């Protein structure tokens, strides 16, 4: 398939339209994008949207996408995050090949260009305090005030800037600013800060620098150095674009990248601010960055979400120019779509109720169970059946309402892959709790059908009491109780019931023996994945997602 044909078959959006036009008009010979994370936290599903867009566009148009760490703030950045980000991008299914870069790779060149701006009279060293600068910056309706240091000579500026670099001054003593326009309607153009003094050890450059460039100063120039053609970022940078362009116009950069903005992902019941995610971890509200309730890629992976589902989700939500809130139910939909196809079926009982089949004689038997209903190639397995089994407590009601077709006194149901059983007796303890059911079975219904043609309205799952294995199962509910949590006071909106631990579920032996992290479907319950906390003989499973939309009822 040619690139042009391939483009036709891919989802289109305004970014892809721009790229296609630029290639068609010859403005660019090939497309180069980049994904530029700041290594100050783990990647989340919002980043996944950006990764799928940047790497996806590069792939679809036969170009390339760089991974560039925007490592300009050593006080917040850590090697742990750098490693996690690389692993997460790979897991999501993308590859930067040889093109791994760091803004810190360019510190020397960025510094040189800053001296050039000074020489051209377009940058100056400002001695005002942070507060003074904030006040002098003005407001949306009020112009800013020129700094008293704005008219320093080139010589004085060069001398001070070099001494800033040499580490002569304490943190915050001075900054280097671009000399643009304190009266500009765009606050980003009111003499933005290019460099601040920061005596901090950098994960890559160590103690070589005591001044660090601002995001605005580093970003576009890094793009230009790498030959980025389309610098795609989120909408909040739209107002920074004139500054992005100002640097590109006023510096002898090797190429002329252009910035395009798209709407960031906002997801209901979810917070995607790294500051809040960090606070959730540090505050012990979750067990770590990879807690399965976290919207991080590490958390989603641990929960059992396959990377295909995230790519599918990114495709479904598309790329738009206006911010919106995506229903987290759509994410669950994508997860179910993928897992329904890929996950093998198993039986597990989360809240066991013992059933004794009083007319069953003998040591037990093995029955054939289908591994995947739509894929004969997935084969079958043998499940053990005997006189005592467990069923789900929810599948029995002593006094059922009219539409309850599962087990109740006198009712007959099908045991999946096994027999029809009829409930004959309910056994209770002294407190009146149901402890056991006594049932009879019809030997003629082996495999699930009655030779006399009689029907049952329900099929329920079960496990053998003697052969099933105990397991811990962790059920996850949304981390927040509100569709749009208050980011400023996120702790107020935390869901106290976001984690439900079932300590004594029973699972079929095939599940206990399988160490694979690949999610399986527990029949009638949902998709579950083995957690890393599993120990030999003590499996732990995470519910990835239920079989039906769980958010519909929360929202309703
Ligand atoms: P912070 O939460 O601290 O503002 P950030 O989310 O911007 O940080 P970065 O590491 O700078 O984190 O993000 C890397 C890239 O991912 C940026 O290009 C950013 O625009 C994009 N990105 C971040 N959050 C989202 C989101 N929710 N949806 C889409 N893209 C996002
Ligand atoms: Mg950012």
């Amino acid at each position: 398939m040619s690139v042009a044909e391939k483009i036709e078959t891919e989802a289109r959006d305004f970014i892809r339209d721009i790229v296609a036009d630029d290639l068609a008009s010859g403005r660019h010979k090939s497309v180069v994008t980049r994904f530029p994370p700041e290594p100050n936290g783990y990647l989340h599903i919002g980043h996944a949207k950006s990764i799928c867009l940047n790497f996806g566009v590069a792939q679809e148009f036969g170009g390339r996408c760089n991974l560039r760490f925007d490592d300009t703030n050593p006080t917040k950045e850590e090697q742990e995050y750098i490693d996690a980000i690389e692993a997460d991008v790979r897991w999501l299914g993308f590859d930067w090949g040889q093109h791994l870069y760091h803004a810190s790779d360019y510190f020397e060149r960025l510094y040189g260009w800053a001296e050039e701006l000074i020489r051209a009279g377009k940058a100056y060293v400002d001695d005002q305090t942070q507060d003074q600068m904030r006040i002098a910056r003005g407001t949306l309706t009020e112009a800013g005030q020129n700094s008293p240091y704005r008219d320093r000579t080139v010589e004085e500026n060069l001398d001070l800037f070099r001494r800033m670099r040499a580490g002569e001054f304490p943190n915050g003593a001075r900054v280097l600013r671009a000399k643009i326009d304190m009266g500009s309607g765009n606050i980003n153009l009111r003499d933005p800060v290019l460099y601040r003094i920061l005596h901090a050890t950098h994960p890559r450059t160590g103690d070589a620098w005591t001044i660090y460039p601002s995001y605005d100063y580093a970003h576009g120039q890094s793009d230009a150095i790498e030959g980025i053609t389309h610098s795609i970022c989120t909408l909040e940078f739209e107002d920074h674009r004139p500054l992005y362009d100002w640097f590109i116009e006023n510096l002898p950069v090797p190429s002329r990248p252009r910035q395009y903005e798209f709407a960031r992902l906002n997801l209901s019941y979810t917070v995607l601010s790294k500051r809040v995610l960090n606070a959730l971890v540090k505050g012990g509200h979750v067990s770590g960055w990879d807690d399965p309730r976290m919207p991080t890629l590490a958390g989603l992976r641990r929960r059992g979400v396959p990377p295909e589902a995230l790519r599918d989700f990114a495709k479904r939500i598309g790329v738009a120019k206006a911010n919106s809130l995506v229903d987290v139910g759509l994410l669950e939909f994508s997860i179910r779509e993928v897992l329904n196809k890929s996950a093998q079926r198993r039986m597990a009982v989360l809240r066991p109720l013992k059933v004794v089949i009083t007319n069953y004689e003998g040591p037990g038997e093995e029955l054939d169970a289908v591994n995947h209903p739509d894929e004969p190639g997935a084969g079958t397995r043998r499940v053990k059946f005997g006189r005592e089994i467990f069923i789900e407590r929810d599948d029995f009601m002593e006094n059922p309402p009219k539409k309850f077709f599962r087990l109740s006194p006198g009712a007959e149901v099908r045991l999946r892959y096994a027999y029809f059983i009829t409930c004959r007796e309910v056994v209770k303890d002294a407190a009146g709790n149901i402890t056991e059911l006594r049932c009879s079975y019809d030997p003629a219904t082996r495999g699930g059908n009655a030779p006399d043609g009689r029907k049952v309205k329900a099929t329920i799952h079960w496990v053998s009491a003697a052969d099933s294995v105990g397991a811990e199962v962790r059920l996850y509910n949304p981390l927040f109780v509100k569709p749009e949590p208050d980011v400023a006071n996120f702790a107020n909106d935390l869901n106290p019931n976001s984690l439900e631990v079932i300590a004594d579920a029973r699972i079929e032996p095939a599940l206990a023996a399988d160490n694979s992290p690949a999610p399986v479907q527990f029949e009638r319950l949902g998709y579950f994945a083995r957690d890393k906390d599993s120990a030999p003989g003590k499996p732990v499973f995470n519910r990835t997602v239920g079989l039906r939309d769980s958010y519909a009822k929360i929202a309703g």
Side-chain angles (χ1 to χ4, degrees):
M1 204 189 283
S2 75
V3 171
E5 279 169 333
K6 192 145 184 265
I7 291 166
E8 284 303 305
T9 67
E10 298 288 345
R12 288 300 286 265
D13 50 61
F14 77 97
I15 297 275
R16 287 171 167 90
D17 287 344
I18 290 168
V19 172
D21 284 351
D22 286 349
L23 291 174
S25 73
R27 185 159 189 269
H28 295 294
K29 287 208 176 54
S30 70
V31 56
V32 186
T33 58
R34 85 287 171 266
F35 174 65
E38 184 181 352
N40 61 353
Y42 279 58
L43 296 181
H44 56 59
I45 189 167
H47 296 117
K49 176 180 181 177
S50 175
I51 294 167
C52 288
L53 176 60
N54 279 294
F55 280 93
V57 162
Q59 247 169 29
E60 289 153 36
F61 292 90
R64 71 156 203 265
C65 180
N66 299 349
L67 176 62
R68 182 201 314 144
F69 286 103
D70 170 26
D71 54 350
T72 52
N73 184 356
T75 59
K76 288 200 184 148
E77 296 160 8
E78 290 174 26
Q79 191 60 41
E80 178 196 345
Y81 299 139
I82 294 178
D83 297 341
I85 288 169
E86 290 187 23
D88 286 348
V89 175
R90 282 211 181 84
W91 173 76
L92 196 54
F94 298 102
D95 186 3
W96 52 90
Q98 302 300 304
H99 301 284
L100 173 65
Y101 303 108
H102 302 80
S104 58
D105 297 339
Y106 316 131
F107 279 175
E108 195 60 54
R109 264 210 268 185
L110 291 169
Y111 176 85
W113 283 332
E115 285 206 353
E116 288 198 36
L117 286 176
I118 293 173
R119 271 187 231 103
K122 291 174 183 166
Y124 62 98
V125 173
D126 196 341
D127 299 356
Q128 291 183 101
T129 64
Q130 259 190 8
D131 274 347
Q132 286 170 331
M133 270 193 286
R134 188 174 41 75
I135 292 162
R137 191 169 289 122
T139 63
L140 284 174
T141 50
E142 234 178 285
Q145 302 290 322
N146 282 353
S147 164
Y149 304 96
R150 201 172 194 262
D151 295 321
R152 278 179 159 148
T153 62
V154 168
E155 290 66 35
E156 194 182 357
N157 279 319
L158 269 182
D159 173 62
L160 285 171
F161 188 46
R162 286 173 184 166
R163 288 165 60 197
M164 278 170 64
R165 177 182 183 166
E168 279 188 32
F169 310 119
N171 289 355
R174 302 190 151 87
V175 293
L176 183 74
R177 299 177 74 173
K179 194 191 255 187
I180 305 179
D181 179 6
M182 289 306 290
S184 171
N186 183 337
I187 292 185
N188 294 298
L189 294 178
R190 294 184 189 170
D191 293 8
V193 171
L194 309 189
Y195 276 90
R196 31 178 76 80
I197 300 171
L198 203 57
H199 293 264
T201 304
H202 187 282
R204 299 191 78 247
T205 58
D207 295 320
W209 294 88
T210 54
I211 56 173
Y212 289 93
S214 63
Y215 168 89
D216 280 323
Y217 181 63
H219 200 83
Q221 281 64 267
S222 302
D223 286 342
I225 291 169
E226 292 174 17
I228 302 298
T229 54
H230 301 78
S231 179
I232 304 167
C233 62
T234 38
L235 276 178
E236 64 272 25
F237 291 102
E238 193 170 10
D239 289 346
H240 296 239
R241 187 168 7 111
L243 179 57
Y244 185 102
D245 293 339
W246 187 90
F247 288 126
I248 298 294
E249 276 155 29
N250 285 281
L251 289 170
V253 289
S255 78
R256 312 203 120 230
R258 280 213 195 171
Q259 176 184 300
Y260 300 92
E261 307 88 17
F262 72 103
R264 66 193 294 120
L265 172 67
N266 300 306
L267 199 56
S268 61
Y269 297 99
T270 308
V271 170
L272 295 180
S273 146
K274 271 198 272 192
R275 184 185 59 74
V276 172
L277 297 182
N278 204 344
L280 286 170
V281 174
K282 300 270 147 69
H285 301 288
V286 295
S287 64
W289 285 97
D290 70 347
D291 186 302
R293 291 167 292 178
M294 290 281 274
T296 52
L297 299 192
L300 292 162
R301 173 169 61 236
R302 183 169 171 192
R303 184 158 168 162
V305 174
E308 299 81 13
L310 295 178
R311 297 197 300 265
D312 178 82
F313 173 68
K315 216 172 244 170
R316 278 175 207 281
I317 58 176
V319 175
K321 261 191 231 188
N323 280 316
S324 65
L325 182 68
V326 174
D327 185 342
V328 69
L330 190 62
L331 172 61
E332 290 201 342
F333 178 85
S334 288
I335 299 169
R336 275 189 216 103
E337 281 282 295
V338 171
L339 290 182
N340 181 40
K341 292 197 192 88
S342 65
Q344 294 226 341
R345 274 51 168 174
R346 296 287 183 266
M347 289 202 286
V349 172
L350 298 189
R351 297 174 183 88
L353 174 60
K354 191 187 228 178
V355 171
V356 178
I357 300 168
T358 50
N359 61 335
Y360 190 90
E361 305 293 340
E365 63 192 297
E366 288 193 336
L367 299 163
D368 285 322
V370 170
N371 287 332
H372 198 295
D374 309 323
E375 291 208 29
T380 59
R381 66 191 185 284
R382 310 282 279 168
V383 291
K384 296 225 172 99
F385 183 79
R387 187 179 156 83
E388 297 195 349
I389 61 171
F390 290 117
I391 66 166
E392 208 69 61
R393 267 186 184 271
D394 282 358
D395 282 335
F396 175 78
M397 280 187 93
E398 193 173 16
N399 300 300
K402 246 202 155 79
K403 291 248 165 86
F404 187 85
F405 298 121
R406 290 168 277 160
L407 206 56
S408 60
E412 186 172 47
V413 298
R414 177 189 292 110
L415 294 176
R416 184 93 162 124
Y417 308 120
Y419 297 96
F420 288 10
I421 57 167
T422 303
C423 177
R424 304 291 177 189
E425 192 188 337
V426 181
V427 182
K428 296 182 183 174
D429 64 13
N433 302 308
I434 299 171
T435 54
E436 185 179 301
L437 302 178
R438 308 207 132 228
C439 296
S440 62
Y441 88 119
D442 178 354
T445 58
R446 191 176 201 269
N449 288 305
D452 65 7
R454 77 181 187 279
K455 300 280 182 230
V456 286
K457 285 216 169 101
T459 301
I460 65 173
H461 62 276
W462 56 276
V463 292
S464 151
D467 300 288
S468 61
V469 176
E472 179 176 319
V473 176
R474 299 173 182 170
L475 306 180
Y476 301 103
N477 297 307
L479 197 47
F480 293 95
V481 290
K482 288 199 191 141
E484 295 183 75
D486 177 2
V487 174
N489 299 299
F490 70 89
N492 294 340
D493 293 342
L494 278 171
N495 179 2
N497 303 312
S498 57
L499 170 62
E500 212 178 313
V501 178
I502 296 177
D504 46 10
R506 306 289 305 182
I507 63 177
E508 64 172 273
L511 266 175
D514 181 2
N515 284 321
S516 158
V520 291
Q521 184 189 100
F522 288 180
E523 292 209 32
R524 300 180 60 236
L525 297 174
Y527 297 96
F528 292 77
R530 178 178 277 262
D531 190 79
K532 66 176 187 185
D533 287 348
S534 297
K538 193 169 184 308
V540 178
F541 280 86
N542 297 316
R543 182 171 65 193
T544 312
V545 66
L547 291 179
R548 276 172 296 274
D549 187 351
S550 57
Y551 288 87
K553 63 174 189 277
I554 297 168

